[in-house]
Amino acid sequence: MKRWISVLGPSAFAPLAIAIGVLCGCASSRPSQPPRELQAARDAYTRAESGPAREHNQAGLIEARQALDAAEQKYNEKSDEVKPLSYVAQRKAQIAEADGRAAAAVLGVAEEERASAGRSERRAKVALDRLGLAAKEESRGTVITLPGANMFATNEAEILPAARGRLAEIAKAVKQVVAENAPQDVGRKLVLIGYTDDVGSEETNLDLSARRADAVRAFFSQHGLSATMMETVGRGEADPIADNGTAQGRAKNRRVEVVVTPATPSPAQQ
Amino acid sequence: MNNQTISTAGLVLAFAIGCGSSVPPARVASTETAVRSARAAGAERVPDANHHLKLAEDELAKAKTLSSKKHRDEAEAMLHRAGADAALAAALTDEARQKAATEGLPGSVPAEQSPLPSR
């Protein structure tokens, strides 16, 4: 070494030393630009993380993150494996994103159906309230009680003319609860149940109550409700809601109940 | 389920094993199954999914060629790419089916009536 220095002179070594230093530096430091595949994987993960996958597919995002971390590690190690690992990491992020979107689509429909059903029922209840009727929630469904006293003459099953206007308003309100073709109302039925007081024979009352329920169905059908979604039942003097010993009680027991049965859950809600 | 055929650890292991041998047949069969499943799910009918299905099929073919030439590590890497693209094709197909089922009017279109077969 001393002989080379003496031959070349110390100044000759400076450029050589710099060149060697640069080469060593290049060999030991990470490349300044990541490979295109790694950048694509990073971008795909960022996109997936900021989309529906964040809320609906966290497991997929975790897997994508792990794959990206493995690729990053190989990049730091300057390994040739960085490109194939980055490719797989990008695909995993895209899968997480697609699965997140799919889950969001399904959940979004279920939410909309629930919200829509709630809106139509609220409108119906407001309309019924204005008509002096209550919609009671029972296990069998939503029950709307139509007082029979002013709807039918004694021992008759024909709807009185004076009652038709109000009954038409009721039909409109019931229609708001049940829209036959709306997705959220698939499977709903209207069960019209006729009742009487206990005056007269049980057999006569059963027949009368059934004919009155049929009369209401026919009326509703003429006012926009589908006959195929309505069923009628005559219960006669069964299930009194008031004391048959008083005139007021008997009037209350003479009624037709409209029971709106629950809808069949849609596939999105199941 | 989508990522069964994708194993980052397996990909690293592939490189560790090195060249000079073929890929085990079971490994190739596993990737073939993933590609077939994506096709059976209807990926051809969804443009984005079809693109990745084609990539998966090309990559699978290349992997088999590499394996026959005893370039095992390269074949393994190509198989992993094929598996990843097949899984993405299947996910995109599933997404399209779900959207079709939830966007059909009037009412929802049940999955069995959708134009795409169930996965």
Short mmCIF file of all heavy atoms in Angstrom, two decimals, chain A residues 1-16:
data_model
loop_
_atom_site.label_atom_id
_atom_site.label_comp_id
_atom_site.label_asym_id
_atom_site.label_seq_id
_atom_site.Cartn_x
_atom_site.Cartn_y
_atom_site.Cartn_z
N MET A 1 0.84 -1.19 0.00
CA MET A 1 0.00 0.00 0.00
C MET A 1 0.88 1.25 0.00
O MET A 1 0.62 2.19 -0.75
CB MET A 1 -0.92 -0.04 1.24
CG MET A 1 -1.88 1.15 1.31
SD MET A 1 -3.00 1.22 -0.08
CE MET A 1 -4.56 1.10 0.75
N LYS A 2 1.87 1.24 0.86
CA LYS A 2 2.75 2.43 0.92
C LYS A 2 3.40 2.66 -0.43
O LYS A 2 3.58 3.78 -0.89
CB LYS A 2 3.82 2.22 1.99
CG LYS A 2 3.30 2.46 3.40
CD LYS A 2 4.46 2.37 4.39
CE LYS A 2 3.93 2.55 5.80
NZ LYS A 2 5.00 2.37 6.80
N ARG A 3 3.77 1.51 -1.13
CA ARG A 3 4.46 1.63 -2.41
C ARG A 3 3.50 2.26 -3.42
O ARG A 3 3.90 3.12 -4.19
CB ARG A 3 4.88 0.25 -2.86
CG ARG A 3 5.75 0.31 -4.09
CD ARG A 3 6.14 -1.06 -4.52
NE ARG A 3 6.80 -0.96 -5.81
CZ ARG A 3 7.08 -1.99 -6.57
NH1 ARG A 3 6.75 -3.19 -6.17
NH2 ARG A 3 7.69 -1.82 -7.72
N TRP A 4 2.18 1.83 -3.43
CA TRP A 4 1.22 2.40 -4.35
C TRP A 4 1.02 3.89 -4.09
O TRP A 4 0.92 4.69 -5.01
CB TRP A 4 -0.11 1.67 -4.23
CG TRP A 4 -0.08 0.34 -4.92
CD1 TRP A 4 -0.09 -0.88 -4.35
CD2 TRP A 4 -0.02 0.13 -6.33
NE1 TRP A 4 -0.02 -1.88 -5.29
CE2 TRP A 4 0.01 -1.27 -6.53
CE3 TRP A 4 0.06 0.95 -7.44
CZ2 TRP A 4 0.08 -1.85 -7.79
CZ3 TRP A 4 0.11 0.37 -8.70
CH2 TRP A 4 0.13 -1.01 -8.87
N ILE A 5 0.94 4.25 -2.82
CA ILE A 5 0.77 5.66 -2.48
C ILE A 5 1.96 6.47 -2.97
O ILE A 5 1.85 7.56 -3.51
CB ILE A 5 0.59 5.84 -0.95
CG1 ILE A 5 -0.75 5.22 -0.53
CG2 ILE A 5 0.65 7.31 -0.58
CD1 ILE A 5 -0.97 5.19 0.96
N SER A 6 3.13 5.85 -2.79
CA SER A 6 4.33 6.60 -3.19
C SER A 6 4.39 6.75 -4.70
O SER A 6 4.91 7.72 -5.22
CB SER A 6 5.59 5.90 -2.66
OG SER A 6 5.75 4.65 -3.31
N VAL A 7 3.87 5.75 -5.44
CA VAL A 7 3.88 5.80 -6.90
C VAL A 7 2.80 6.76 -7.40
O VAL A 7 3.03 7.61 -8.26
CB VAL A 7 3.65 4.40 -7.51
CG1 VAL A 7 3.41 4.47 -8.99
CG2 VAL A 7 4.85 3.51 -7.18
N LEU A 8 1.59 6.63 -6.88
CA LEU A 8 0.46 7.40 -7.42
C LEU A 8 0.30 8.75 -6.75
O LEU A 8 -0.28 9.66 -7.31
CB LEU A 8 -0.84 6.61 -7.24
CG LEU A 8 -0.92 5.30 -8.03
CD1 LEU A 8 -2.17 4.53 -7.65
CD2 LEU A 8 -0.90 5.57 -9.52
N GLY A 9 0.75 8.81 -5.50
CA GLY A 9 0.50 10.04 -4.76
C GLY A 9 -0.82 9.95 -4.03
O GLY A 9 -1.76 9.32 -4.52
N PRO A 10 -0.87 10.56 -2.87
CA PRO A 10 -2.09 10.47 -2.04
C PRO A 10 -3.33 11.03 -2.75
O PRO A 10 -4.42 10.54 -2.59
CB PRO A 10 -1.76 11.30 -0.81
CG PRO A 10 -0.28 11.39 -0.77
CD PRO A 10 0.19 11.34 -2.20
N SER A 11 -3.17 12.04 -3.57
CA SER A 11 -4.32 12.70 -4.19
C SER A 11 -5.05 11.79 -5.16
O SER A 11 -6.22 11.96 -5.46
CB SER A 11 -3.88 13.98 -4.91
OG SER A 11 -2.94 13.63 -5.93
N ALA A 12 -4.31 10.77 -5.71
CA ALA A 12 -4.96 9.88 -6.67
C ALA A 12 -6.01 9.00 -6.01
O ALA A 12 -6.92 8.48 -6.64
CB ALA A 12 -3.92 9.01 -7.36
N PHE A 13 -5.83 8.80 -4.73
CA PHE A 13 -6.75 7.88 -4.06
C PHE A 13 -8.10 8.52 -3.70
O PHE A 13 -9.07 7.80 -3.48
CB PHE A 13 -6.12 7.37 -2.76
CG PHE A 13 -5.24 6.18 -3.01
CD1 PHE A 13 -3.90 6.35 -3.34
CD2 PHE A 13 -5.76 4.89 -2.94
CE1 PHE A 13 -3.11 5.24 -3.58
CE2 PHE A 13 -4.96 3.79 -3.19
CZ PHE A 13 -3.63 3.95 -3.51
N ALA A 14 -8.12 9.84 -3.68
CA ALA A 14 -9.36 10.48 -3.22
C ALA A 14 -10.55 10.15 -4.14
O ALA A 14 -11.58 9.67 -3.68
CB ALA A 14 -9.17 11.98 -3.11
N PRO A 15 -10.37 10.35 -5.49
CA PRO A 15 -11.52 10.00 -6.36
C PRO A 15 -11.86 8.52 -6.28
O PRO A 15 -13.02 8.14 -6.33
CB PRO A 15 -11.04 10.38 -7.76
CG PRO A 15 -9.89 11.30 -7.56
CD PRO A 15 -9.26 10.91 -6.25
N LEU A 16 -10.85 7.70 -6.19
CA LEU A 16 -11.05 6.27 -6.12
C LEU A 16 -11.82 5.92 -4.85
O LEU A 16 -12.75 5.12 -4.85
CB LEU A 16 -9.69 5.56 -6.14
CG LEU A 16 -9.75 4.02 -6.19
CD1 LEU A 16 -10.47 3.55 -7.44
CD2 LEU A 16 -8.32 3.43 -6.16
#
